[in-house]
Amino acid sequence: MLVKDILNSQKICISYEFFPPKHEEDWNRLFETISDLIPLDPAYVSVTYGAGGSTRDRTHDLLVRIQEETDLTVVSHLTCVGSDRNDIHDILNKYAEHGIENILALRGDLPKGQTEWVQPENGFAYAADLVAYIKKHFPHMGVGVAGFPEGHPETPNRLKEIDYLKAKIDAGADYIVSQLFFDNRDFYDFCERCELAHINVPIIAGIMAISSKHSMVRMAELAAGARIPARLLKAVERAGNDEYVERVGGHWATEQVRDLIDNNVRGIHLYTLNCSTATLRMYRSLGVSSSSQLSV
Ligand SMILES: Cc1cc2nc3c(=O)[nH]c(=O)nc-3n(C[C@H](O)[C@H](O)[C@H](O)COP(=O)(O)OP(=O)(O)OC[C@H]3O[C@@H](n4cnc5c(N)ncnc54)[C@H](O)[C@@H]3O)c2cc1C
């Protein structure tokens, strides 16, 4: 099923993101995580594509395995980095053969050590071009794109940035998934700015629970633009050890989700880091055992 149809048919859609593990033993652990999360009734699950296209094969293998072993709808992240049009065409062909029909079309993080974006020869300059290519050559596929509530560091001009986002929608994208954020006001403001720019597709809110001080530092490095509010930083500082940091992070993320639902946000994407603990705890704190119970 296409994500746009799921978004149209369910009152609240909660989705989960995984990354393809490097080591064999972590694959089994990830499949335990997936089994833990299935009873929550995910709208879909997505699999990331490593920086610089570094996980191309593992992303493909994980998607196919989830597709074959579960009834979950899968979404593949796909980036322009390090691939030309032929590579992208081959990847999309393989997905089509396996019945994978949802793509999150991205420009992609730069490979390690690279500081500036260089368009690959015969490749795509921006995610909008990738969206247009998918829509032209694989019109049956559903396409999502990334949005940045707090801005993308490469484009400090916030007006231009919304124009570039609009270009992705005009190229045929069905929905937007946001970068993670810790202050819902940034997301609501982003949604309003999208509305002003006549971007009318669903906008899915990206939420991640901080699980340790280390993960917070890493997240600040990786998640382009995401600001950690002082109140959250103070709470993390106050927490004596990582067990308490995890509780603080989980509580914060749960309150964000509760507030988003109360404000009629219909799509929430949880960055799970391949672990089910924070998500299961969040559902318990929200007093529900599956996503369908979240709509009242
Ligand atoms: C939900 C989500 C999932 C992600 N998953 C992955 C993943 O799996 N793998 C990965 O490598 N990265 C991933 N990323 C990170 C993302 O690829 C990077 O942040 C990347 O730098 C931006 O990608 P984009 O698709 O928004 O690119 P684009 O929309 O192409 O934008 C890239 C930059 O170029 C600017 N721009 C766009 N169009 C133009 C134009 N016409 N002229 C001038 N400037 C322009 C934009 O404002 C932005 O600064 C993800 C991000 C999000 C939010």
Side-chain angles (χ1 to χ4, degrees):
M1 198 167 176
L2 298 184
V3 168
K4 69 171 178 187
D5 296 328
I6 298 175
L7 287 163
N8 275 333
S9 64
Q10 293 181 10
K11 218 166 160 197
I12 291 185
C13 296
I14 313 281
S15 50
Y16 310 119
E17 180 171 303
F18 307 118
F19 60 86
K22 259 192 195 145
H23 306 293
E24 191 54 40
E25 61 273 19
D26 294 334
W27 279 71
N28 295 336
R29 209 166 307 133
L30 172 57
F31 273 82
E32 282 167 23
T33 293
I34 294 173
S35 305
D36 289 345
L37 296 178
I38 285 176
L40 304 180
D41 202 10
Y44 69 86
V45 298
S46 77
V47 176
T48 62
Y49 199 80
S54 55
T55 65
R56 183 192 298 194
D57 293 340
R58 277 185 281 135
T59 297
H60 172 270
D61 293 349
L62 178 55
L63 284 160
V64 170
R65 203 172 143 191
I66 299 175
Q67 175 93 337
E68 284 174 354
E69 294 184 18
T70 73
D71 291 329
L72 295 168
T73 296
V74 294
V75 174
S76 178
H77 295 205
L78 181 60
T79 73
C80 309
V81 179
S83 296
D84 65 19
R85 278 158 207 262
N86 297 331
D87 297 330
I88 296 279
H89 201 93
D90 287 349
I91 294 170
L92 290 165
N93 253 340
K94 273 195 197 160
Y95 287 156
E97 278 164 20
H98 283 98
I100 294 164
E101 51 186 10
N102 286 292
I103 306 292
L104 187 70
L106 302 147
R107 202 278 313 268
D109 287 322
L110 303 183
K112 251 192 186 151
Q114 197 174 312
T115 51
E116 253 182 53
W117 166 238
V118 183
Q119 178 181 355
E121 211 180 318
N122 191 32
F124 301 105
Y126 298 108
D129 307 323
L130 176 58
V131 174
Y133 188 87
I134 299 172
K135 282 289 161 185
K136 182 169 177 204
H137 296 277
F138 298 85
H140 66 285
M141 285 190 170
V143 183
V145 290
F148 295 81
E150 298 174 69
H152 188 272
E154 286 173 43
T155 305
N157 182 329
R158 308 296 300 274
L159 293 176
K160 274 205 173 138
E161 188 179 65
I162 288 288
D163 293 342
Y164 298 148
L165 180 58
K166 175 88 166 43
K168 297 196 269 193
I169 308 307
D170 291 345
D174 306 315
Y175 61 97
I176 297 166
V177 186
S178 90
Q179 177 63 287
L180 58 90
F181 57 89
F182 293 102
D183 186 337
N184 288 3
R185 286 173 303 181
D186 291 318
F187 180 76
Y188 300 139
D189 184 71
F190 174 65
C191 292
E192 277 188 58
R193 281 183 287 124
C194 286
E195 208 179 311
L196 284 170
H198 305 289
I199 294 174
N200 298 316
V201 298
I203 306 176
I204 299 176
I207 297 291
M208 192 186 92
I210 289 173
S211 56
S212 65
K213 280 191 184 169
H214 174 76
S215 79
M216 183 176 78
V217 172
R218 183 120 182 83
M219 184 278 307
E221 275 165 18
L222 292 179
R227 175 180 62 88
I228 305 169
R231 203 157 66 86
L232 175 55
L233 272 177
K234 271 189 210 161
V236 168
E237 277 307 313
R238 235 179 264 127
N241 57 37
D242 273 345
E243 189 192 328
Y244 289 127
V245 173
E246 194 183 9
R247 285 192 208 175
V248 166
H251 177 73
W252 187 277
T254 303
E255 287 310 306
Q256 279 192 278
V257 168
R258 197 193 307 277
D259 181 72
L260 289 167
I261 293 169
D262 288 346
N263 281 284
N264 301 316
V265 173
R266 293 182 43 231
I268 299 174
H269 188 63
L270 300 177
Y271 296 96
T272 69
L273 302 177
N274 287 4
C275 183
S276 61
T277 318
T279 306
L280 291 171
R281 220 180 265 155
M282 177 184 289
Y283 276 68
R284 273 201 297 275
S285 299
L286 292 167
V288 298
S289 55
S290 80
S291 300
S292 55
Q293 293 173 322
L294 287 168
S295 48
V296 282

